[in-house]
């Protein structure tokens, strides 16, 4: 089956056909580091890390660019509130984002460009837009002329978000000299006390949208394969990226992929709502690999509604996979990465249907546990190799060095407990299948006495340590 992507721009499932055979080029809108990262921020990193890993697994050479917006109104305001230099403030939280990505096993990007390092490319881009009649300067600022572009032949402004031009609000101040209220800033004139860089039109700093077009095309070319980002970036950010890039004459992205939000009580996780859950805080409740499993477990285009119960259920799901792999190693020796199953491949080829892929992994784990119980070492080793292959694509292979060597202290104790509990749950599952209710109840009672709560789910029993 050909790998298919749901393209946000056309709202269609499309076969992935790269510009260059055997090569995939991807641009991901990365962090604006103005505060500690929460799990809503890093969901995007995990979701598109799975995309990258699947393309690599299918034999593509992947160029993956993830930018850092290191100059922004929010950064300047936060730094000023705390009496810190803007560059120190952004560097501090950029390190925290990098730490969070590393904790969750997100592969480092091929390059991680910063907006402030690409002013030259932005100046060139603005000049091209001016030469084409789609940008103008006012008192040191430079604006994109939305009306001029909307009326131009080939304009598709509004097509990504589905918004009408006359209904669009850029969220920017309507400064004197702007031709249209919906024109957006490519370059912002210098203000007292703010950092600035020289341009032919005056000193200032980058506009939000311009930086991504300049960096994406600088590293990936005037046309590239996939542009990724959060659903909240469709408008105005991505819509404006498309407009300025096409107006400059670039083909830009051929596919658009957007991940949905992490929500709490139905509301998008954000600092303004006060419902932020930082990555360091969540990692006091589960291990990094378990948080990765949780963030990647829903389809990337689906809402992920956070609750501690859902987090712990996901952690238990990962521990079932982990426990099987460790039992396989204990009984069979080293387990090499094998081949994923056709059902797993079909799931990921269908727009990264991770929930189906996880179901296939758990099916394999059940089969592997049965093979171990039956003493069929050949079958058990084959299944274990397949589980490793599938888990590696999703970034949580329990035998990967990062996860296999990360246990220490309480984590090591939890791992040991997990192996013991999973063994008990297997005994209970067998008893239930044989309708031996007395044995099944006895197992559950023993676990309860030990402080282990068991919940039966569609994917098998889940457990957690009772409060």
């Amino acid at each position: 089956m050909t790998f298919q992507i749901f393209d946000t721009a056309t709202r269609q499932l499309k076969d992935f056909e790269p510009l260059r055979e055997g090569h995939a080029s991807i641009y991901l809108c990365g962090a604006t580091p103005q505060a500690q990262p929460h799990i809503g921020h890093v969901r995007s990193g995990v979701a598109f890390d799975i995309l990258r890993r699947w393309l690599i697994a299918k034999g593509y050479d992947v160029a993956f660019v993830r930018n850092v917006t290191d100059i922004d109104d929010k950064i300047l305001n936060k730094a000023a509130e705390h009496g810190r230099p803007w560059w120190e403030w952004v560097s501090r939280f950029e390190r925290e984002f990098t730490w969070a990505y590393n904790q969750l096993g997100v592969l480092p990007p091929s390059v991680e460009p910063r907006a402030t390092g690409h002013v030259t490319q932005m100046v060139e881009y603005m000049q091209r837009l001016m030469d084409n009649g789609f940008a103008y300067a006012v008192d040191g600022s430079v604006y994109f002329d939305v009306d001029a572009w909307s009326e131009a032949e080939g304009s598709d402004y509004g097509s990504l978000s589905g918004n009408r031009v006359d209904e669009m609000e850029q969220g920017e101040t309507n400064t004197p000299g702007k031709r249209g209220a919906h024109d957006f800033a490519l370059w912002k004139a210098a203000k007292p006390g703010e950092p600035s860089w020289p341009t032919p039109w005056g000193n200032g700093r980058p506009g939000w949208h311009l930086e991504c077009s300049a960096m994406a095309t600088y590293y990936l070319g005037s046309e590239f394969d996939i542009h990724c980002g959060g659903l909240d970036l469709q408008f105005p950010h991505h819509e404006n990226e498309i407009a300025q890039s096409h107006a400059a004459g670039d083909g830009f992205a051929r596919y658009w992929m957007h991940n949905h939000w992490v929500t709490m009580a139905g509301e998008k996780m954000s600092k303004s709502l006060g419902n932020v859950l930082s990555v360091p805080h969540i990692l006091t409740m589960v291990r990094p690999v378990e948080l990765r499993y949780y963030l990647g477990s829903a389809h990337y285009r689906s809402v992920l509604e956070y609750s501690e119960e859902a987090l712990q259920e996901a952690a238990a799901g990962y521990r079932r996979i982990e426990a099987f792999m460790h039992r396989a190693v204990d009984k069979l020796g080293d387990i090499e990465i094998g081949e994923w199953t056709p059902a797993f491949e079909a799931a990921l080829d269908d727009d990264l249907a991770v929930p189906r892929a996880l179901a296939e992994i758990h099916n394999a784990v059940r089969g592997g546990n049965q093979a171990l119980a039956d003493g069929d070492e050949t079958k058990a080793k084959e299944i274990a190799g397949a589980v490793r292959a599938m888990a590696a694509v999703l970034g949580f292979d329990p035998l990967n060095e990062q996860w296999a060597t990360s246990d220490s202290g309480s984590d090591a104790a939890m791992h040991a407990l997990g192996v013991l509990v999973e063994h008990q749950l297997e005994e209970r599952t067998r008893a239930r299948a044989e309708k031996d209710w007395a044995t099944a109840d006895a197992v559950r009672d023993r676990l309860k006495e030990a402080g282990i709560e068991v919940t039966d789910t569609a994917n098998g029993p889940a457990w957690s340590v009772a409060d």
Side-chain angles (χ1 to χ4, degrees):
M1 179 179 175
T2 303
F3 178 39
Q4 294 187 310
I5 291 171
F6 182 84
D7 175 34
T8 311
T10 60
R11 295 162 182 79
Q12 293 179 346
L13 201 62
K14 297 170 62 176
D15 289 351
F16 176 62
E17 297 176 353
L19 277 168
R20 290 168 46 199
E21 185 177 354
H23 180 85
S25 47
I26 303 173
Y27 185 88
L28 170 61
C29 281
T32 301
Q34 43 101 9
Q36 194 174 56
H38 60 63
I39 59 174
H41 290 133
V42 295
R43 184 190 183 188
S44 178
V46 171
F48 298 118
D49 185 61
I50 293 173
L51 166 68
R52 182 184 184 187
R53 287 172 180 268
W54 184 231
L55 289 169
I56 291 171
K58 291 178 75 69
Y60 287 95
D61 175 26
V62 180
F64 191 94
V65 180
R66 185 183 69 209
N67 79 299
V68 176
T69 298
D70 63 342
I71 188 73
D72 174 87
D73 290 343
K74 295 176 183 177
I75 291 170
L76 297 177
N77 292 337
K78 285 285 188 181
E81 286 173 15
H82 290 82
R84 306 307 306 165
W86 70 273
W87 47 264
E88 178 193 82
W89 190 261
V90 74
S91 296
R92 169 189 169 185
F93 290 109
E94 184 181 344
R95 289 193 296 272
E96 293 207 20
F97 270 87
T98 299
W99 175 86
Y101 289 135
N102 290 341
Q103 285 291 301
L104 300 184
V106 174
L107 298 173
S110 305
V111 64
E112 193 166 27
R114 292 157 184 79
T116 57
H118 294 79
V119 172
T120 298
Q121 288 78 21
M122 295 182 211
V123 170
E124 293 172 351
Y125 224 92
M126 286 187 284
Q127 187 62 62
R128 289 167 60 193
L129 287 167
M130 287 186 171
D131 292 344
N132 290 346
F134 299 119
Y136 58 93
V138 178
D139 298 331
S141 293
V142 180
Y143 294 96
F144 183 83
D145 193 328
V146 170
D147 286 339
W149 174 240
S150 299
E151 296 167 3
E153 183 179 352
S155 172
D156 53 0
Y157 194 57
S159 62
L160 181 70
S161 61
N163 292 330
R164 292 166 51 90
V165 174
D166 57 0
E167 297 173 347
M168 292 182 180
E169 294 288 343
Q170 299 289 349
E172 297 183 358
T173 303
N174 290 327
T175 57
K178 277 182 68 171
R179 295 176 184 173
H182 41 238
D183 292 353
F184 57 87
L186 300 169
W187 189 260
K188 298 184 177 184
K191 295 179 181 178
E194 288 189 356
S196 64
W197 290 261
T199 77
W201 310 284
N203 290 355
R205 59 184 174 87
W208 179 28
H209 317 301
L210 177 65
E211 62 174 272
C212 283
S213 289
M215 289 188 286
T217 54
Y218 180 74
Y219 289 101
L220 299 178
S222 61
E223 187 174 12
F224 56 94
D225 292 317
I226 305 172
H227 195 309
C228 304
L231 186 66
D232 52 327
L233 298 180
Q234 276 186 270
F235 182 84
H237 188 45
H238 290 165
E239 194 74 77
N240 290 346
E241 280 188 60
I242 294 173
Q244 65 199 8
S245 301
H246 289 182
D250 290 337
F252 210 55
R254 301 176 74 239
Y255 303 85
W256 287 84
M257 299 179 71
H258 290 90
N259 68 281
H260 218 308
W261 304 321
V262 177
T263 60
M264 290 180 64
E267 295 185 277
K268 177 179 176 287
M269 189 171 293
S270 67
K271 293 177 177 59
S272 62
L273 292 176
N275 59 3
V276 174
L277 288 174
S278 72
V279 173
H281 173 69
I282 296 296
L283 292 182
T284 65
M285 297 186 281
V286 294
R287 292 177 294 165
V289 65
E290 292 166 349
L291 177 55
R292 181 191 172 98
Y293 181 99
Y294 169 67
L295 290 174
S297 61
H299 194 282
Y300 75 93
R301 289 194 288 116
S302 299
V303 172
L304 182 61
E305 172 71 12
Y306 174 81
S307 70
E308 188 171 343
E309 292 78 14
L311 176 68
Q312 293 298 342
E313 184 174 329
Y318 171 75
R319 290 195 294 266
R320 285 195 292 273
I321 299 169
E322 181 184 46
F324 162 66
M325 292 305 306
H326 284 289
R327 279 197 297 278
V329 170
D330 290 343
K331 292 186 178 182
L332 308 173
D334 291 342
I335 303 295
E336 299 295 329
I337 293 179
E339 299 290 334
W340 55 68
T341 68
F344 178 86
E345 181 174 20
L348 290 194
D349 274 347
D350 184 12
D351 192 37
L352 302 177
V354 172
R356 282 168 45 202
L358 285 175
E360 178 63 9
I361 292 176
H362 284 285
N363 285 337
V365 165
R366 284 190 286 271
N369 281 325
Q370 188 62 56
L372 287 174
D374 294 342
D376 190 340
E377 295 188 356
T378 300
K379 183 177 181 180
K381 196 160 192 173
E382 180 183 349
I383 292 174
V387 169
R388 278 205 73 184
M390 295 184 285
V393 169
L394 299 183
F396 57 72
D397 171 15
L399 301 185
N400 177 274
E401 183 178 359
Q402 177 175 4
W403 311 129
T405 61
S406 63
D407 289 338
S408 62
S410 61
D411 284 347
M414 181 60 74
H415 166 66
L417 175 64
V419 172
L420 295 173
V421 171
E422 291 295 335
H423 178 74
Q424 289 291 300
L425 290 178
E426 285 176 21
E427 181 182 342
R428 177 174 176 266
T429 298
R430 281 195 297 271
R432 286 163 62 91
E434 296 168 359
K435 300 188 185 303
D436 182 356
W437 308 118
T439 298
D441 290 343
V443 170
R444 183 164 189 150
D445 290 344
R446 283 199 302 272
L447 290 173
K448 188 173 183 178
E449 288 172 8
I452 304 298
E453 294 287 346
V454 177
T455 304
D456 291 310
T457 74
N459 289 321
W463 64 273
S464 61
V465 179
D467 295 333

